[in-house]
Amino acid sequence: MLRILARKLSEILFFLLFITFISFLFIRLAPGDPVLTILNVDELSVSQEQVDALREEMGFNEPLLVQYGQWLLNFIQLDFGNSYITGQPVMEVILTGVPATLELAVGALIVMLIVAIPLGSLSALYRNSWIDHLSRVLSILGAAVPSFWLGLIFIDLFGVRLHWLPTMGRDGWITLILPSLTLGLAISSVYVRLLRSSLLESLSQDFIRAARGRGLSELRIFFMHAFRHSLPPVITFFGVSLGSLIGGVVVIEVLFAYPGVGKLVVDAIRQRDYPLIQGYILIMAVTVFIVNTFVDLSYRYLNPEMKLKERETY
């Protein structure tokens, strides 16, 4: 376990160095000038001397490697800088949107579990039945429909026509229903098919036939043996698709005007707020890495064969 954690620590240090440099470079090379945004050139009469003075003050005249080295030095001291627009510390700005984003992500995962586990399980248990055919059709439709289009349909149906649910903002749990439903249904289609195929493979294993030979009930065989055996591929895929989930949260937050981290970073991109964009990328990268580490550890728990292989390796 200690060797695994040490390896993971070295990996995350290299990963952070790589992702921060690449993102820093691409952000600076993107079109737009934050100095002009800060000075509101379109609304105010600003001289070129003022623009040059502010650019010099913010360090934009330095080479990119020097700018990155200064940012990295501040990051090592846990200083993410201040937002160009609001002047607040970047971490403080991001933390204001974290609760809303976590609520939306958890709500979407709950919807995904409610949809994917029953449909995937029933499809595997009643293979080639009408339930199986229906779940496969629904999963294909879910994968084909973009999440933003599904969100627009929900807004038009439940918000505009029926007036059942609010479609914008964050004001209690009721405003979480439509965005969570939109994102949860969008990601559940993949897990329905993955869980179905994994369960079918598990149910064909020799240990399932041995369990039936010992007289165990089908319910116990399914949940205690087949279902657990089918989880590692699903959990592994969740770790891989976490980036897509984060991207989906960004789209849904903008669509429903939900004040989370995703909407914050979209506004920051529009305003060329470099420190806020850089801080968001860094925090999301660390989040993805930590989740993938927990996925790896849980995979070792769910699949004892990995422990045996590691012992043989070391």
Side-chain angles (χ1 to χ4, degrees), residues 133-152:
H133 293 308
L134 179 62
S135 67
R136 280 190 286 179
V137 169
L138 292 177
S139 63
I140 292 174
L141 288 176
V145 175
S147 59
F148 71 88
W149 188 83
L150 185 63
L152 290 174

Side-chain angles (χ1 to χ4, degrees), residues 79-94:
D79 180 11
F80 292 86
N82 296 331
S83 168
Y84 290 161
I85 307 303
T86 65
Q88 296 176 288
V90 166
M91 187 57 64
E92 182 180 318
V93 175
I94 292 177

Side-chain angles (χ1 to χ4, degrees), residues 92-109 168-173 175-181 183 245-246 248-254 256-265 280 284:
E92 182 180 318
V93 175
I94 292 177
L95 288 179
T96 59
V98 166
T101 297
L102 287 178
E103 288 175 2
L104 179 54
V106 171
L109 290 176
M168 298 180 65
R170 177 178 177 239
D171 186 18
W173 65 269
T175 56
L176 192 62
I177 295 177
L178 282 185
S180 298
L181 194 62
L183 184 58
L245 175 62
I246 293 174
V249 169
V250 173
V251 173
I252 298 305
E253 284 182 358
V254 173
F256 288 92
Y258 202 76
V261 178
K263 189 174 184 302
L264 278 176
V265 77
Y280 170 82
M284 290 302 105

